Amino acid sequence: MTKEKQFVKEITTMEDDFAQWYTDVVKKADLVDYASVRGSMIIRPYGYAIWEAIRAALDQMIKETGHENIYMPLLIPESLLQKEKDHIEGFAPEVAWVTQGGAESLSERLVIRPTSEVLFGEHYAQIIHSYRDLPKLYNQWANVVRWEKTTRPFLRSLEFLWQEGHTCHATGTEAQEETERMLEIYAEICEHFLAIPVLRGRKTDQEKFAGAVHTLTIESLMHDGKALQTGTSHYLGTGFAEAFGIQFTDKNGELQTVHQTSWGITTRLIGALIMVHGDNRGLVVPPRIAPKQVMIVPIAQHKEGVLDKAYALKEQLKSVARVDIDASDKKPGWKFNEYEMKGIPLRLEIGPKDIEKDQVVLTRRDTGEKMPVPMNELETKVTELLHAIQDNLFARAKAHREEKTTVARTMDEFKTALVENPGFIQAMWCGSPACENFIKDETSATSRCIPFEQEHVSGHCVCCGEKAEHLVYWAKAY
Amino acid sequence: MTKEKQFVKEITTMEDDFAQWYTDVVKKADLVDYASVRGSMIIRPYGYAIWEAIRAALDQMIKETGHENIYMPLLIPESLLQKEKDHIEGFAPEVAWVTQGGAESLSERLVIRPTSEVLFGEHYAQIIHSYRDLPKLYNQWANVVRWEKTTRPFLRSLEFLWQEGHTCHATGTEAQEETERMLEIYAEICEHFLAIPVLRGRKTDQEKFAGAVHTLTIESLMHDGKALQTGTSHYLGTGFAEAFGIQFTDKNGELQTVHQTSWGITTRLIGALIMVHGDNRGLVVPPRIAPKQVMIVPIAQHKEGVLDKAYALKEQLKSVARVDIDASDKKPGWKFNEYEMKGIPLRLEIGPKDIEKDQVVLTRRDTGEKMPVPMNELETKVTELLHAIQDNLFARAKAHREEKTTVARTMDEFKTALVENPGFIQAMWCGSPACENFIKDETSATSRCIPFEQEHVSGHCVCCGEKAEHLVYWAKAY
């Protein structure tokens, strides 16, 4: 057993049991703990700091595109939820019901918001009167509750955190442009910050949001070949607006109904982060979103000058990176393991020998590469490496997705691909729900999206063999 | 009727009906709208931006003092809430109960968190083992629900937003130092950012938090002479820790129980802001917390050069202030009124005559003072004025509180003061709950705090005449 081995927190390997590996990482990287309520999670400081980083980046982009934050009530009266028929049908089976307040039994039940379209609908009807009031571009950061049967931290939990944008526009064109703009912002958050490559596309009618005309989506591929929907942007048309009476007088003095959108991303993104970049030593956090980018580990820190130098390095690096130091009396081996498990992009070792040589030793979390770096090149090198790690994580994930994407022209090819190279399947679809359902029943794979970038991989539906024009990405999904 | 008058949004004057004035300001300054659920509020973009500013300032101070953010579940099982006896007694009458999830009737009822001591208690018992794990300094930004009978936006609502800090310490001394540190941070938020002077003190046993050993509080005085508790910090002792088994091995290997604190401030602070600084023309927002500090209103904006100059001024001022421009086709009079109602600290007018004279006209929201300012002095003058407004608001509020504070040595003096000069009453108290209750029943005034800065205004209890050592501030309160 090597010296480092003995400090290794034991986690299941991905190859042995991917689901268990995920649970182990979530727990041992101190992202989440479990609470008394089935299916609820405690987001621990390290997990929450990652969420704060995602939120800060996204909030800035949401504001820069002219949106304003607002806060809507948590509780929705049953009668309000019922105003839009498709919407209530979609959500009723999975809401939590409040039936009592203090000692009083409520005459009307309340639901804890599973999403807030109806609250925004009611509010917009109050405040929109004229074309001058449009567009209305609101966003909310909030918690929502959905009564899920089986739950997993970040991926599917009773309660989760998210943002939900809700906008009103004078025309359908403007509203549809908005859904595209927001989908692109979500893609930017995933690709630029989280280093997660995404497919951009549209959901089939069966997979769209309850109450939407259509749903745009970004989809990404996890290590185990399963897909994860990482963000959605819905064009709601005038359905909610008609149900709630959101009308405005246009420039010609005529009464019109607004066109709406809604869009959201959730703490699920942290689940994606884990399953796209993580490895058998734990989490790997892309530098741009990492709460801590560099962790300094002093070696032989009881020796004169080591800790002083380590703290000086922390000061020195402050201007180029989010840097921290672990000067606790734990063994360096324990520390190495701990910060690998937490996925901190760079480890910086500094000991008496390094001080003699006027150098430090940097180790990349993504590749494991270890390198001595002269003190006077430190800032440059750290900056360079953080960029390199960010780029490498994205490139690696993209290569993985490409490798795990198979074209299928027949159901046989489809099924073989799912077994031999689990991941995305590109296959043509005739557009009929019957074929979509057949594929789902036969293979457990669902249509993930009709990508904006269409390729013509064949002329016929993979399922029924009829003429088909839509390329669809299919996959088993979370 | 003057030209400006005709654009004035009608609000009730404070002198006519203070409660109605408050409601009018809340609504007409676009802070809040009402939703379908009784007692819940929609916090509109302008109100939410003020909350975001408060949150940003406080979050930074919370983090700088070594605290970490975390997120706990919204729902608490009934059995967990019952673990600490005083706590459940205090909160049970005012919680919302979830009894059904989807189609399933729950075998155990869940409450929507009214506060999260029990969740933190359960979690801390899991993660604290050794003295090395201490102190644990956690904070949460969240929504909570309390089933209040009568509600008013920001002051008392079914749901509100807040932060709740929860910490564990090795000793009672450390924990008590923490409660003092956090109270001082709350005082700083109120005084430095919100320009609201506060009294710092301790609650009497009757007024303390359910489950606390003692509660520290900051109290401020509203325009109408009523007090508002603006923040509290509780020393919980070992009560929750014993109920939840939060123990640690100390340096000598002995098992000890942790000492805890909890502390919180809420969206109530926005209510305080309104009632401390507002006037009959609407809200007045202190510059340091104002989402917009300067509003540019172009005059005769259809004339050549005016809008160009106005936008150029916005660019010019960006580095010294949060500045916005209203270039809509609404009349200047409407705009003047609108931004006065919203309490924006400075209005900047720019019209053809100003351009000729190479000047702008600035108007202070706090004093109404209107002054021409040469273009080349603009940045300096704006910076200076924003400081002056901030200082003036604080000084004015402090003078108001001093003027509205009366010493009472007898119950007659006490009652006379409440009628003739409603505000704080300084009176000695013997320490008995009987006297406290008598005063409350007789006058509706409650003990607000035993101030840290004690004065000896008499030797005898204002109520029973017995020997008394505690000076107490009393007031009718929100």
Side-chain angles (χ1 to χ4, degrees), chain A residues 36 71 95 99 102 122 132 159, chain B residues 36 71 95 99 102 122 159 329:
Chain A
S36 284
Y71 188 75
V95 293
T99 59
E122 186 186 42
R132 290 167 205 264
E159 179 191 5
Chain B
S36 284
Y71 188 76
V95 293
T99 58
E122 185 186 43
E159 179 190 5
D329 57 7

Side-chain angles (χ1 to χ4, degrees), chain A residues 360-406:
Chain A
V360 305
V361 177
L362 291 179
T363 304
R364 285 174 68 152
R365 175 63 182 89
D366 60 335
T367 58
E369 196 190 341
K370 207 166 167 165
M371 63 206 98
V373 173
M375 232 41 120
N376 61 4
E377 292 172 21
L378 192 53
E379 282 102 321
T380 323
K381 196 68 189 169
V382 163
T383 307
E384 218 175 273
L385 281 171
L386 291 175
H387 276 105
I389 295 169
Q390 183 81 27
D391 293 346
N392 179 48
L393 289 176
F394 183 76
R396 204 159 79 173
K398 195 160 182 191
H400 176 258
R401 186 187 76 192
E402 277 159 17
E403 192 186 302
K404 296 281 179 188
T405 301
T406 314

Side-chain angles (χ1 to χ4, degrees), chain A residues 203-472:
Chain A
K203 287 283 186 195
T204 62
D205 275 357
Q206 289 201 99
E207 297 284 333
K208 76 184 183 190
F209 178 73
V213 174
H214 66 245
T215 288
L216 307 183
T217 182
I218 48 175
E219 301 279 331
S220 51
L221 197 68
M222 307 296 105
H223 258 314
D224 62 347
K226 277 184 160 175
L228 186 81
Q229 172 184 306
T230 35
T232 48
S233 182
H234 317 294
Y235 170 53
L236 303 177
T238 56
F240 284 92
E242 279 158 19
F244 287 93
I246 316 173
Q247 293 186 308
F248 68 99
T249 311
D250 68 13
K251 284 186 183 171
N252 307 320
E254 276 165 40
L255 210 57
Q256 305 280 358
T257 301
V258 304
H259 292 252
Q260 291 188 281
T261 81
S262 71
W263 27 273
I265 59 100
T266 78
T267 33
R268 208 166 205 225
L269 284 181
I270 301 174
L273 181 98
I274 298 165
M275 292 194 291
V276 169
H277 301 305
D279 62 24
N280 286 332
R281 288 177 299 146
L283 191 64
V284 178
V285 186
R288 219 165 260 134
I289 218 78
K292 291 171 185 175
Q293 298 172 313
V294 181
M295 179 56 72
I296 300 175
V297 178
I299 308 294
Q301 63 184 44
H302 58 281
K303 296 220 172 136
E304 207 193 317
V306 173
L307 274 182
D308 286 350
K309 188 69 197 168
Y311 279 107
L313 285 171
K314 187 183 164 191
E315 279 309 302
Q316 187 184 335
L317 282 174
K318 252 182 170 174
S319 61
V320 298
R322 293 183 287 276
V323 54
D324 202 0
I325 185 170
D326 184 345
S328 71
D329 57 7
K330 285 164 182 150
K331 295 232 159 46
W334 183 92
K335 295 178 188 176
F336 289 5
N337 184 242
E338 177 69 13
Y339 302 113
E340 280 181 356
M341 183 61 69
K342 289 205 154 88
I344 293 175
L346 278 177
R347 178 176 78 225
L348 187 159
E349 292 163 54
I350 176 81
K353 283 180 197 155
D354 301 307
I355 294 175
E356 240 169 61
K357 293 188 207 159
D358 207 27
Q359 67 167 38
V360 305
V361 177
L362 291 179
T363 304
R364 285 174 68 152
R365 175 63 182 89
D366 60 335
T367 58
E369 196 190 341
K370 207 166 167 165
M371 63 206 98
V373 173
M375 232 41 120
N376 61 4
E377 292 172 21
L378 192 53
E379 282 102 321
T380 323
K381 196 68 189 169
V382 163
T383 307
E384 218 175 273
L385 281 171
L386 291 175
H387 276 105
I389 295 169
Q390 183 81 27
D391 293 346
N392 179 48
L393 289 176
F394 183 76
R396 204 159 79 173
K398 195 160 182 191
H400 176 258
R401 186 187 76 192
E402 277 159 17
E403 192 186 302
K404 296 281 179 188
T405 301
T406 314
V407 172
R409 287 175 195 82
T410 64
M411 281 311 292
D412 274 353
E413 284 180 11
F414 196 114
K415 289 176 189 169
T416 308
L418 274 184
V419 175
E420 290 184 357
N421 190 28
F424 281 123
I425 292 173
Q426 292 181 307
M428 302 305 286
W429 175 56
C430 63
S432 101
C435 286
E436 203 180 349
N437 290 336
F438 182 85
I439 292 172
K440 190 175 174 181
D441 293 344
E442 284 280 300
T443 69
S444 328
T446 50
S447 70
R448 303 315 305 156
C449 70
I450 307 168
F452 296 152
E453 284 185 23
Q454 283 282 312
E455 294 166 57
H456 193 74
V457 303
S458 109
H460 305 281
C461 176
V462 70
C463 183
C464 65
E466 296 291 310
K467 198 159 172 285
E469 279 175 10
H470 303 298
L471 174 74
V472 169

Side-chain angles (χ1 to χ4, degrees), chain B residues 423-436:
Chain B
F424 281 123
I425 293 173
Q426 292 181 308
M428 302 305 286
W429 174 56
C430 64
S432 102
C435 286
E436 202 180 349

